[in-house]
């Protein structure tokens, strides 16, 4: 698989309140590493550019870390910080709690990019996932305005202001692990014979 000429950011700046402990440290099944390591590997397999990790406000700075500039800014802040850094037209994003996303997703999304497309994301008839997506650099100003605002804005409300394309994918790719029950279900499904 040819790697795409984009940078990427793993969105790992959440507080994991529903999980009860940092999701990124959960051990990924069948691999020697965590959810964070897995997400970084997915992006490094798919992309030829730099991979950053988005971290919460107050985290020590590092070359491969993008620290939120305001507390409780949400995932849009991680995307905004990546868009500030990348020289490429699109930034690939992947939330750390989406363990079913394969590297080939980004090549599929890239086929739908273009001058008039702000965000390309995967979805099914019942769910979309803009936190495993390609975001165009043109969205930077909107995200800057939203993240500087007095209240947290839902990502779905931001998408409503943008030109988007949804690419159909298998529902198993969009599994989200926010709670211990969702994590246990993911582990059970991962262990089940295919």
């Amino acid at each position: 698989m040819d790697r795409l000429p984009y940078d990427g950011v793993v969105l790992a700046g959440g507080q994991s309140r529903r999980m009860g402990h940092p999701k990124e440290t959960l051990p990924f099944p069948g691999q020697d590493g965590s959810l964070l390591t897995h997400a970084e590997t997915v992006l490094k397999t798919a992309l030829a550019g730099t991979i950053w990790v988005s971290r919460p406000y107050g985290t020590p700075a590092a070359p491969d870390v993008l620290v939120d500039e305001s507390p409780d800014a949400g995932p849009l802040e991680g995307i905004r910080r990546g868009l500030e850094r990348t020289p490429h037209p699109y930034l690939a994003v992947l939330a750390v709690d989406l363990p079913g996303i394969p590297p080939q997703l980004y090549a599929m999304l890239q086929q739908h990019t273009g001058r008039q497309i702000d965000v390309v994301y995967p979805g099914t008839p019942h769910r979309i996932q803009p936190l495993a997506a390609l975001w165009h650099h043109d969205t930077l100003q909107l995200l800057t305005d939203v993240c500087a605002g007095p209240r947290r804005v839902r990502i779905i409300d931001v998408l409503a202001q943008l030109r988007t394309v949804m690419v159909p994918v298998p529902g198993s790719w969009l599994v989200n692990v926010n709670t211990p029950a969702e994590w246990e279900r993911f582990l059970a499904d991962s262990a089940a014979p295919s």
Side-chain angles (χ1 to χ4, degrees):
M1 178 173 82
D2 289 338
R3 296 191 302 161
L4 302 176
Y6 300 144
D7 297 327
V9 61
V10 177
L11 301 171
Q15 297 179 8
S16 301
R17 289 185 191 107
R18 289 182 284 168
M19 185 63 74
H21 51 85
K23 290 180 278 190
E24 67 188 54
T25 63
L26 294 168
F28 193 86
Q31 295 181 11
D32 185 22
S34 63
L35 276 185
L36 176 60
T37 305
H38 174 73
E40 288 177 306
T41 299
V42 168
L43 289 182
K44 286 176 182 175
T45 302
L47 309 173
T50 301
I51 306 302
W52 298 289
V53 176
S54 171
R55 293 292 191 188
Y57 178 79
T59 303
D64 62 344
V65 171
L66 302 176
V67 179
D68 289 354
E69 293 184 336
S70 60
D72 197 34
L76 291 173
E77 173 72 356
I79 298 169
R80 182 189 74 78
R81 298 281 286 134
L83 288 169
E84 283 182 329
R85 289 278 192 95
T86 187
H88 303 292
Y90 283 93
L91 173 75
V93 303
L94 178 57
V96 74
D97 56 9
L98 296 171
I101 297 291
Q104 65 263 31
L105 169 70
Y106 295 93
M108 292 170 61
L109 299 179
Q110 197 269 340
Q111 294 175 18
H112 298 274
T113 60
R115 289 183 56 111
Q116 301 300 314
I117 304 300
D118 294 319
V119 186
V120 185
Y121 54 80
T124 69
H126 308 289
R127 170 187 274 177
I128 63 169
Q129 189 43 264
L131 299 182
L134 295 176
W135 286 71
H136 196 280
H137 201 273
D138 287 351
T139 63
L140 176 58
Q141 187 58 58
L142 175 61
L143 295 187
T144 299
D145 295 344
V146 164
C147 292
R151 62 181 180 84
R152 190 167 174 173
V153 176
R154 297 181 319 154
I155 196 165
I156 197 76
D157 295 330
V158 171
L159 290 177
Q161 301 177 58
L162 299 171
R163 300 160 298 186
T164 65
V165 173
M166 186 198 82
V167 177
V169 298
S172 61
W173 288 13
L174 304 183
V175 169
N176 192 237
V177 292
N178 282 308
T179 67
E182 289 171 346
W183 176 244
E184 291 302 321
R185 193 162 44 251
F186 171 72
L187 291 177
D189 290 347
S190 299
S194 41

